[in-house]
Amino acid sequence: DDKGNVFFGLYDCQTRQNEHLYTFEKDLEVVSCSVNSERTLLAASLVQSTIERGRNELQPGSKCLTLLVEIHPVNNVKVLKAVDSYNWVQFLYPYVESHPLPENHLLLISEEKYIEQFHIQVTQEDGNKVVIKNSGHLSRDRIAEDFVWAQWDVPDQRLYYIDLKKSRSILKCIQFYADESFNLMFEVCLDISLSDSGFKLVNFGCDCRQYQEKLSKHPTLCVFTNHTGSLCVCYSPRCASPEQITYSVFYIHKGHSKTFTAALGSAGSHLTKGVTFLNLDHYVAVYLPGHFLHLLNIQHPDLICHSLFQTGNNEMVDMLPHGSLQSLSQSLVLDCCSGRLYRAFLNQSYLLCFLWNTSRDCEKMAALHCVLSCGRGPRFLEGQIIQWVSEKASACHSFDLIQEFLIASSYWSVYPKTSNVDKLLPYSSVLTWNIEIPGITLVTEDIELPLMKVHSFKGYWEKLNSNLEYVKYTKPHLHYNNSVVRREWHNLISEEKTGKRRSTAYVRNILDNAIKVISNLETRNSEPRLTPLLQEEDNHQRLLIGLMVSELQDHLLRHLQGVEKKKIEQMVLSYVSKLLDVICCILETIWRKHNLHSCVLHFNRQGSAGEFAVFHIMTRILEATNSLFLPLPPGFHTLHTILGVHCLPLHNLLHYIDSGVLLLTETAVTKLMKDLDNTEKNEKLKFSIIVRLPPLIGQKICRLWDHPMSSNIISRNHVTWLLQNYKKQPWNSMIDKSSFRVEFLPLNYFVEILTDIESSNQALCAFEGHDNVDAEFVEEAALKHTTMLLGL
């Protein structure tokens, strides 16, 4: 305060209040302070003013005092250190039950480049009074020596520090445990330049003003971890150029580093502060106020397009405070100038607005993944993303937006459910990215992997070790793809055409998988769907869905060790259901936007602008799924064909069919035959469709069309079927002309041969269910066809 008193308080983030702990009525400045978990002991390191230094009652002549104070209630003060070098203090917070600890542990970090751990035994006197036991002699351990940088990780109770060996920077980590033990977990060499004369601490409290000036001359360095087993070291050297700034991120869990160089432009000459690194769970934010904000994807850092880079004085870059920022645990950010504490997070609503407004493909890609990484938000937010995808599907030129959204949505739907999924499921449809991102360049280098110092791992360390093992031994990567599904599906379809189908149990199991997915899909929506999907058998798509479920289950069971089979089955069900649900939702969004109704399903009408929009988006969906061989909702091809007939001229329609864009389903063609009359235009359409049908479906459809052309096709198929195994034999009988309606010897002779074959043992079975097709039917069809050709 204005009288020179120093007050210690503890801020409660829930109540937003300060709890007063202790007051020094001295003209002192605080270097560091810490309170134990029971709030009974306060450790403080203080710098005396010039006036007070000569007359200090406790230890005259020393510059820095490190004190241990009993504060429950306020009682004794013990001097831990009284030296001319700065000290920092930090109580350990081991995770224990609510009972008070018999012993507290305090780290003391000295500017003389060593770290000690004090063991402080406490006892209760006179009821609740807590005092230090054996305060005359506190036992201590030397934890580290000769280090140039250190960082304290509060929630996980880890100490990171760097020492220099032969001019190499060696990062080490000590893990403290609740049972009072600690382990050196790993050490790794980093290619960074740290002067052995320098000294820098991170997360040991806010330093006094004089020391802040001293620290500002040093590089920025910090370590970030998250629950997935990631370990990132962020480093920015002193800025040597006013035109650009360089920073590096060592993705130690991935085995490589990336060094970025960002252009500052004309504003670079006003640069007074270095970059700030902020931990945002799946992302690390690199922030330079007024210049840029770079959201780095730490889980999938391989492609620069998966990280969002923003420059200039725009709203996103200016969201964070412009003062000196310090990143604390759990996304907390301390503004050292104002003393305010913030919690930083990715704002889905803002990112959605950004998606609508940005024109760069790289920013669309990165922002889309940022939005999805924020978690499964309210349904309306996902609806907004789907609306954006539906309307901007044609606006991306560097990648397929629908394809990317399908893969990313399915990935994020199962990602939180188990670890290591990021190594086994595709994160993106884009495998390479060669397009430059304006304002930034990068260099990627392989780095040494950490040398682990322990052999038994739990929790975070188990996940980190798993990541490192994957980098060491897994070549190529294990990401799932549908190549096996593609091959097996084509085999099943070929067997269906030839009539050779493998065991019924195998096929039934595949179709049962599809039934589970469709059932799960139908329960996802509380509102009924307007689009006519999932309403027909569509055996081919059901086979594809079931095969994907089966192959994906096998893939995960092979590589996810220790995960229950039932959990994997549920995960696969969610993944494939999400994939199909996204397709349904895209179509539903366009359908509702144009207010389409069930009358769309009738062929005897012209297509509207709304139908053309749905047809266009369905074509884009088909293109997106075909290259990855992903399944479609049953009924998709039928609806696509109906809309194609409505919207396309005949020659375009036939081109779409011949090139495989439109797939003729039995359901769609059956409706076409029933809905359309036999006008000249419709006859031309029907005949063009029938001749393009597979033989089995074509024979069924011809029976529905009462037309000479249909009879002609049926007759040709019947004759082909009869004669395919016919062996010519001597013919002795004379033709009785009186038995034929027309005296035309070639036709008479041919019909008699057919009649003879039909009555022989070669034709015991009816032709594909056409009980009424015989030689007489063929004769009548031939005469009608000839009559038409001659114009009689």
Side-chain angles (χ1 to χ4, degrees), residues 169-383:
S169 300
I170 308 297
L171 173 67
K172 299 180 180 181
C173 176
I174 293 176
Q175 174 73 68
F176 293 91
Y177 299 102
D179 63 358
E180 305 176 10
S181 64
F182 60 89
N183 277 329
L184 175 64
M185 301 304 295
F186 71 81
E187 57 182 50
V188 61
C189 181
L190 300 177
D191 185 17
I192 58 177
S193 176
L194 291 177
S195 170
D196 57 0
S197 61
F199 182 78
K200 178 75 180 286
L201 297 178
V202 179
N203 290 351
F204 281 100
C206 193
D207 301 291
C208 62
R209 285 190 297 273
Q210 298 97 315
Y211 205 77
Q212 279 184 22
E213 293 174 5
K214 190 176 177 181
L215 293 179
S216 64
K217 301 175 183 177
H218 291 270
T220 303
L221 180 69
C222 53
V223 177
F224 293 139
T225 63
N226 76 4
H227 63 280
T228 64
S230 69
L231 175 61
C232 292
V233 179
C234 305
Y235 169 71
S236 177
R238 289 188 297 271
C239 186
S241 169
E243 290 84 23
Q244 61 185 30
I245 193 165
T246 300
Y247 51 95
S248 301
V249 178
F250 295 82
Y251 301 95
I252 292 177
H253 59 294
K254 296 291 184 180
H256 65 255
S257 69
K258 291 184 181 292
T259 299
F260 302 90
T261 302
L264 299 178
S266 58
S269 57
H270 304 292
L271 189 64
T272 56
K273 297 181 178 67
V275 297
T276 298
F277 296 104
L278 304 175
N279 188 3
L280 301 176
D281 198 17
H282 298 297
Y283 288 84
V284 164
V286 187
Y287 177 55
L288 188 61
H291 294 279
F292 68 83
L293 174 69
H294 197 179
L295 290 175
L296 293 169
N297 190 325
I298 61 171
Q299 208 61 31
H300 299 275
D302 296 341
L303 301 184
I304 194 172
C305 61
H306 292 147
S307 298
L308 182 60
F309 183 72
Q310 281 288 286
T311 60
N313 291 297
N314 60 39
E315 187 179 350
M316 184 180 286
V317 175
D318 286 343
M319 274 186 177
L320 292 167
H322 283 213
S324 177
L325 300 181
Q326 183 178 352
S327 180
L328 306 177
S329 61
Q330 300 168 340
S331 303
L332 288 174
V333 181
L334 176 66
D335 184 347
C336 301
C337 297
S338 68
R340 288 194 175 95
L341 195 65
Y342 299 90
R343 189 179 300 281
F345 60 92
L346 295 178
N347 187 320
Q348 275 186 314
S349 299
Y350 178 84
L351 285 167
L352 275 169
C353 294
F354 178 78
L355 275 175
W356 279 102
N357 296 323
T358 186
S359 58
R360 291 175 179 168
D361 284 359
C362 58
E363 292 178 349
K364 293 173 188 174
M365 167 84 77
L368 174 62
H369 283 281
C370 283
V371 173
L372 294 174
S373 73
C374 293
R376 311 313 300 166
R379 189 76 177 177
F380 79 92
L381 274 178
E382 188 176 52

